[in-house]
Amino acid sequence: MRNTGVVKSGPQPTVDAHEGQSSVDGRTRAGVARLLMEQGPITATAVAAELSLSAPAVRRHLDALIAAGEAEVREASRRGPRGRGRPARHYLLTDAGRARFGHGYDDLAVAALRYLAEHGGEAAVRGFARSRVENLLGGAGAEQVAAAHGRDARTGALADVLTTRGYAAQAREAGSGVQLCQHHCPVAHVAAEFPVLCEAETQAFAELLGTHVQRLATIARGDSACTTHVPLEAPEDRRGYTTTTTISTGTSLRGRQSE
């Protein structure tokens, strides 16, 4: 059949060249990072040969990894007589760079708590949970919260302390009180199996704020944030009242909280 050269009309798929290039760059950079993890310290020349890339392309990705704090460069130590030219530069990943490939910290923590529960019992795990939250919030953090005047201010100060500890927290008014929202939980995976970590944290909040509090949601249970309700301060409130109320009852030391 003779080709008439006529192109049929109709919607044609479009490709964002910039987006496509970004995707390719991302995969290539990930490949460079993986090679640094597996073989580093390694020279740019060796990276280029291993990945069949040009030297300028490799250096561009290495520079980007260094700028992001994911890689670092070391001057190779020379043994024997010095030759001409600069010593070869070797590249390797930093701790931040290795983090992109994941860590086994959560699995290790779960295994350690399982062992503690098996050999020390529930009291030992609860003691660990309490010690952890005291280390998290104690000392300067507790003083910062205590220095604030009024429950609202103390809740805001607690949110600030939690944010500096990596919990991305904020306090916001909500009806009959204030909600303390933690948008990140570094131990969510562990707390999913050991909700006692959440319970100890909630109890510590109550003691710092001087009132009962109610845990409404947790990231460990699949919610988008850990949310704790702090009631409005009333004249009849007793200072130092530290009873903690959680929304879930019948929790067990191990396993998810019962619905």
Side-chain angles (χ1 to χ4, degrees):
M1 180 181 294
R2 186 169 59 90
N3 185 354
T4 61
V6 177
V7 179
K8 294 184 179 180
S9 61
Q12 299 294 320
T14 59
V15 176
D16 187 327
H18 177 72
E19 181 178 348
Q21 184 60 44
S22 297
S23 177
V24 172
D25 282 349
R27 290 194 298 271
T28 303
R29 191 158 302 156
V32 172
R34 179 171 291 279
L35 193 62
L36 263 58
M37 179 182 67
E38 295 174 347
Q39 300 186 25
I42 186 173
T43 65
T45 301
V47 173
E50 186 73 23
L51 299 179
S52 299
L53 296 171
S54 67
V58 167
R59 290 193 174 86
R60 178 166 61 85
H61 289 297
L62 290 172
D63 288 344
L65 289 170
I66 291 172
E70 295 186 14
E72 61 183 352
V73 61
R74 293 180 183 174
E75 300 292 343
S77 59
R78 288 196 177 226
R79 295 180 179 178
R82 275 188 174 273
R84 292 184 177 181
R86 297 179 57 186
R89 306 180 79 194
H90 285 70
Y91 299 84
L92 67 161
L93 287 187
T94 62
D95 287 341
R98 285 188 289 272
R100 71 157 61 206
F101 298 101
H103 287 302
Y105 298 153
D106 284 354
D107 293 338
L108 178 62
V110 169
L113 284 175
R114 285 174 181 167
Y115 183 89
L116 186 62
E118 180 181 352
H119 295 274
E122 179 174 336
V125 178
R126 290 193 177 279
F128 168 81
R130 181 66 184 180
S131 175
R132 175 193 167 272
V133 77
E134 286 176 354
N135 290 331
L136 177 71
L137 300 174
E143 292 175 3
Q144 182 177 335
V145 175
H149 298 290
R151 188 172 300 158
D152 289 2
R154 289 198 298 275
T155 305
L158 177 55
D160 291 341
V161 171
L162 289 168
T163 294
T164 64
R165 306 294 196 269
Y167 285 78
Q170 63 178 184
R172 62 190 183 194
E173 294 183 6
S176 60
V178 181
Q179 284 189 351
L180 177 64
C181 299
Q182 298 158 249
H183 298 282
H184 177 61
C185 177
V187 297
H189 176 72
V190 183
E193 181 165 347
F194 291 90
V196 65
L197 296 176
C198 299
E199 294 166 9
E201 183 180 275
T202 307
Q203 177 67 29
F205 291 172
E207 293 175 0
L208 282 173
L209 299 175
T211 185
H212 69 281
V213 299
Q214 185 179 25
R215 182 57 66 92
L216 303 177
T218 64
I219 295 173
R221 297 184 63 199
D223 300 301
S224 59
C226 297
T227 305
T228 305
H229 179 76
V230 182
L232 290 174
E233 200 160 16
E236 62 271 18
D237 281 351
R238 294 174 294 164
R239 283 208 181 272
Y241 179 59
T242 59
T243 302
T244 303
T245 303
T246 56
I247 197 169
S248 299
T249 57
T251 59
S252 60
L253 177 64
R254 294 184 56 186
R256 290 182 178 272
Q257 294 174 321
S258 57
E259 300 294 339

